[in-house]
Amino acid sequence: MKIAVTGKGGVGKTTLSALLAQAYADMDHQVLAVDADPSPCLAGALGFPEELRAKLHPISEMDDLIEERTGAKPGTIGGFFTINPRVDDIPERFSVVHRGVRLLEMGSVDIGGSGCICPESAMLKTLFTHLLLREEDVLIMDMYAGVESLGRATVDFVDAMLIVVEPTRRSLSTAMQIKKLANDIGLSRLWLIGNKVRNEEEETFLRTETPEVPVLGIMQANLAVQEADRLGIAVYDHVPELREAGFEIANNLSGKITQ
Ligand SMILES: Nc1ncnc2c1ncn2[C@@H]1O[C@H](COP(=O)(O)OP(=O)(O)OP(=O)(O)O)[C@@H](O)[C@H]1O
Ligand SMILES: [Mg+2]
């Protein structure tokens, strides 16, 4: 199961990605969490200790290795390169594991593009395939905010998309732009996740305003989420209500995708 988490800036993509990654790991799935935001913060949201974070190198620092393995410089479009480069030693060099979640940072690698058939996407694709061998393995990709990062190549990496929304028309409007793009590139498994919901009225608004994308889960607004960030603790550990919401969304998602 390979999921991209998208949505307007600041809606809670990283918070949801971290909750889902930890929930799946605690349900004994192999989890690969990918931070696709050029200014990464998923490690913090997952509560990775500083010494592990210091060891983490973003994939974008792998230029020489990409050239060595694929036979072409990153950024090359067209020409010849190996589409199934050797990747077995890469996880240890470019990712860290904490509490069952393997984390990988993309850095400035842009996998959206316009359907980039390029050495770096070949490398990433092979790497993900290498790491996610079984049906029940989970890839959670915390995407860059907005719609620009969602290009054709995204479908090579994910098979469903969660769009995080706040109960505001603006965030729903971004969600509808994302839906259109996703549909254009052939991705039709899309769900909304309502976040920072304060009352029933707001939940009803989210559930009724855009019937074309179903709501898969709701996360309540909770001041302890910011507190967790300030204290450097994962929301999963600090806010039981959100951990519960994370498990519920993870279960709903598994149910939908394995249907
Ligand atoms: N349920 C919630 N209740 C209260 N605050 C929340 C909730 N979820 C997220 N936040 C807060 O909203 C802010 C943005 O959250 P987060 O970083 O997860 O969003 P994002 O969509 O990943 O942002 P960006 O677009 O910058 O990557 C953070 O300060 C976070 O603490
Ligand atoms: Mg984020």
Side-chain angles (χ1 to χ4, degrees):
M1 181 162 81
K2 294 180 282 176
I3 315 291
V5 178
T6 61
K8 193 172 159 48
V11 289
K13 298 177 290 296
T14 302
T15 305
L16 174 67
S17 300
L19 284 169
L20 286 179
Q22 198 61 60
Y24 281 119
D26 288 355
M27 292 192 280
D28 290 329
H29 291 269
Q30 291 276 359
V31 178
L32 174 63
V34 176
D35 195 338
D37 191 326
S39 59
C41 48
L42 190 54
L46 281 162
F48 271 58
E50 198 43 57
E51 63 272 20
L52 274 184
R53 282 200 241 172
K55 281 190 200 150
L56 192 57
H57 300 284
I59 293 283
S60 56
E61 280 177 17
M62 171 162 105
D63 279 12
D64 292 344
L65 199 65
I66 293 175
E67 189 173 3
E68 174 201 314
R69 299 290 165 86
T70 63
K73 265 197 192 335
T76 313
I77 295 178
F80 292 103
F81 57 86
T82 310
I83 56 162
N84 53 352
R86 201 189 117 216
V87 292
D88 54 336
D89 57 334
I90 290 178
E92 298 321 309
R93 290 164 70 173
F94 288 91
S95 65
V96 286
V97 182
H98 179 60
R99 293 167 62 187
V101 176
R102 183 178 289 280
L103 175 68
L104 205 129
E105 285 177 357
M106 309 253 297
S108 55
V109 174
D110 175 13
I111 57 145
S114 52
C116 145
I117 304 173
C118 52
E120 54 270 49
S121 76
M123 190 84 161
L124 274 173
K125 222 171 132 177
T126 314
L127 180 59
F128 291 174
T129 314
H130 172 81
L131 286 167
L132 304 162
L133 292 172
R134 297 169 312 169
E135 188 104 342
E136 63 270 27
D137 293 351
V138 179
L139 169 75
I140 308 273
M141 208 175 209
D142 180 13
M143 305 294 284
Y144 188 40
V147 291
E148 294 78 10
S149 63
L150 300 174
R152 283 192 191 284
T154 316
V155 274
D156 281 351
F157 295 96
V158 299
D159 43 38
M161 205 177 261
L162 297 180
I163 312 174
V164 185
V165 286
E166 291 176 4
T168 62
R169 283 188 199 281
R170 278 186 211 158
S171 87
L172 283 172
S173 146
T174 304
M176 290 310 110
Q177 280 176 281
I178 292 174
K179 173 191 188 290
K180 185 173 178 315
L181 267 172
N183 290 160
D184 286 350
I185 59 176
L187 202 63
S188 54
R189 284 166 149 175
L190 304 173
W191 292 279
L192 295 182
I193 303 292
N195 187 25
K196 308 189 195 182
V197 174
R198 288 174 302 181
N199 51 43
E200 231 165 84
E201 206 177 315
E202 290 189 340
E203 181 169 340
T204 307
F205 170 75
L206 280 177
R207 289 194 185 277
T208 52
E209 193 63 22
T210 50
E212 57 272 42
V213 189
V215 174
L216 188 74
I218 296 285
M219 304 195 292
Q220 303 295 329
N222 194 321
L223 288 177
V225 174
Q226 265 134 295
E227 192 177 74
D229 179 289
R230 186 161 45 79
L231 298 171
I233 308 172
V235 168
Y236 186 86
D237 297 316
H238 192 64
V239 194
E241 296 87 346
L242 282 206
R243 177 172 58 230
E244 278 313 304
F247 270 105
E248 201 176 313
I249 294 166
N251 282 321
N252 285 347
L253 197 55
S254 300
K256 294 280 181 202
I257 289 188
T258 52
Q259 251 172 25

